């Protein structure tokens, strides 16, 4: 018997990282595609910036989310079981006793245990690894965001490839329609057009700020601007040395409109991450007309092909001016393909098998 899909809306309480952005951007697409009664979106009492929905039923529970395991494993799970639905989770998690559909964006915590050295880090890692395994073994369907992520799940948990569907992430219309805010250059007058490299993302270990720190030391005439939020866990040691480097500036958190302005004026967007499940920031940079310099690690060559300039994540001694003299292909076809609308349609086609 087919059932309704019940979406775990915990991402409306989380900080807005790439995973949460994917989830939030997908909801309006699903709302346009779904028929009334097919999908519910269940959110905590303290959810923020929840969009209006027409065809998806919005259910706000009388519970404030402060502990994600408690919401996931008790409150949300109880609701799903009581209403006999199929849970859909966007954030690498699943209710333990409910077989459902879950995204696994990557299995970073499993593959890089040494990136979690502190006691608190280890707790985060253990819970995430627990969730990866449960999703792999018990979910009805797994959504991976790249073929690379799919392969790592199969190789690690020895499950059938048929259980996993790949849906690439995409750029949302709201990002495309956002107008660049040139006032950011008044806040940071040191940023001169085409005279700085820009990087963006959560300032975590895997984003490999170590590469920028080492490269900036080797090439003092190059200038780097860094934007992003420091996460509570997996803080890279390189932050302190970068803060004192004369050719590096931290911009802090920037709005999408400010990011677009900086993207469009940078010499190139640089993304030296040594591990990604997908990697959205380079796609956003391409949409702003920026050239992208990315590492040749994990999924990135799969996603960006011949549209990018490549570096090795552990080799900072490279002449970027020489690298940028090479020719790369136009990103137009890639930008046309990787949209939130296309990703949402693929997801809805999977959901229809169960609705």
């Amino acid at each position: 018997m087919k059932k309704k899909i019940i979406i775990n809306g915990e991402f409306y309480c989380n900080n807005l990282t790439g995973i949460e952005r994917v989830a939030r951007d997908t909801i309006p697409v699903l709302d346009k595609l779904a028929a009334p009664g097919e999908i519910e979106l269940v959110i905590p009492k303290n959810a923020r910036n929840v969009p209006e929905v027409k065809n998806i039923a919005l259910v706000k529970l009388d519970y404030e989310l402060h502990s994600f395991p408690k919401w996931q494993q008790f409150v949300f799970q109880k609701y799903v079981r009581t209403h006999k639905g199929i849970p859909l989770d966007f954030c690498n998690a699943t209710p333990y006793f409910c077989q459902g559909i879950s995204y696994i964006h990557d299995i970073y915590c499993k593959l890089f245990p040494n990136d979690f050295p502190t006691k608190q880090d280890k707790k985060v890692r253990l819970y995430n690894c627990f969730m990866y395994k449960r999703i792999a073994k018990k979910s009805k369907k797994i959504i991976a965001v790249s073929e690379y992520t799919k392969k790592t799940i199969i190789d690690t948990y020895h499950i059938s490839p048929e259980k996993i569907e790949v849906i690439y992430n995409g750029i949302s219309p709201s990002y495309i329609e956002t107008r660049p805010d040139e006032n950011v250059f008044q806040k940071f007058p040191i940023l001169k057009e085409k005279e700085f490299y820009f990087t963006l993302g959560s300032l975590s270990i895997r984003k490999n700020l170590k590469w920028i720190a080492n490269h900036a030391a080797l090439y003092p005439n190059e200038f780097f601007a860094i934007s992003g939020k420091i996460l509570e866990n997996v803080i890279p040691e390189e932050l302190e040395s970068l803060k004192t480097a004369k050719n590096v500036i931290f911009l802090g958190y920037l709005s999408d409109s400010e990011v677009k302005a900086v993207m469009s004026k940078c010499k190139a967007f640089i993304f030296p991450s040594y591990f990604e499940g997908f990697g959205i920031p380079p796609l956003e940079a391409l949409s702003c007309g920026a050239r992208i310099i990315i590492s040749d690690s994990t999924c990135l060559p799969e996603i960006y092909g011949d549209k990018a300039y490549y570096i090795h994540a552990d080799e900072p001694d490279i002449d970027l001016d020489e690298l940028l003299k090479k020719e790369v292909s136009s990103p137009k076809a890639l930008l046309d393909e990787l949209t939130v609308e296309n990703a949402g349609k693929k997801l809805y086609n999977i959901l229809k098998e169960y609705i």
Side-chain angles (χ1 to χ4, degrees), residues 247-258:
N247 57 336
V248 176
I249 181 173
F250 279 89
L251 308 179
Y253 173 80
L254 297 179
S255 66
D256 281 351
S257 57
E258 290 173 322

Side-chain angles (χ1 to χ4, degrees), residues 119-266:
K119 185 176 181 180
Q120 182 60 31
D121 291 344
K122 288 176 181 177
K123 288 181 180 179
V124 172
R125 176 182 174 270
L126 286 173
Y127 182 74
N128 278 288
C129 289
F130 174 70
M131 285 287 95
Y132 300 154
K133 186 174 181 179
R134 190 65 181 176
I135 293 168
K137 298 297 185 181
K138 296 298 182 180
S139 289
K140 294 178 181 293
K141 185 69 71 174
I142 300 168
I143 310 298
V145 295
S146 64
E147 293 291 343
Y148 169 81
T149 294
K150 178 177 179 177
K151 184 178 186 304
T152 60
I153 297 168
I154 293 169
D155 291 347
T156 302
Y157 298 106
H158 310 292
I159 62 174
S160 169
E162 284 71 31
K163 191 173 183 177
I164 306 175
E165 296 288 344
V166 173
I167 300 178
Y168 285 154
N169 294 330
I171 302 179
S172 69
S174 62
Y175 186 85
I176 296 295
E177 293 165 6
T178 298
R179 299 187 64 177
D181 183 359
E182 301 288 334
N183 291 324
V184 69
F185 298 109
Q186 296 179 16
K187 290 168 59 177
F188 303 103
I190 197 171
L191 300 179
K192 306 299 183 184
E193 185 170 357
K194 305 305 178 184
E195 293 184 7
F196 65 94
Y197 294 99
F198 179 52
T199 190
L200 168 74
S202 59
L203 304 183
S204 58
I205 294 173
R206 63 166 153 174
K207 299 303 179 182
N208 201 17
L209 293 182
K210 182 178 181 179
W211 190 98
I212 293 178
N214 292 336
H215 182 86
L218 291 168
Y219 295 85
N221 292 328
E222 293 178 348
F223 193 76
F224 293 86
I226 300 173
S227 175
K229 184 174 181 179
I230 300 174
L231 301 180
E232 294 181 4
N233 304 300
V234 294
I235 299 173
E237 297 177 358
E238 298 75 39
L239 279 179
E240 289 307 314
S241 62
L242 281 167
K243 288 177 182 177
T244 59
K246 293 182 179 179
N247 57 336
V248 176
I249 181 173
F250 279 89
L251 308 179
Y253 173 80
L254 297 179
S255 66
D256 281 351
S257 57
E258 290 173 322
V259 166
K260 291 192 74 170
V262 177
M263 291 275 205
S264 65
K265 297 292 178 66
C266 67

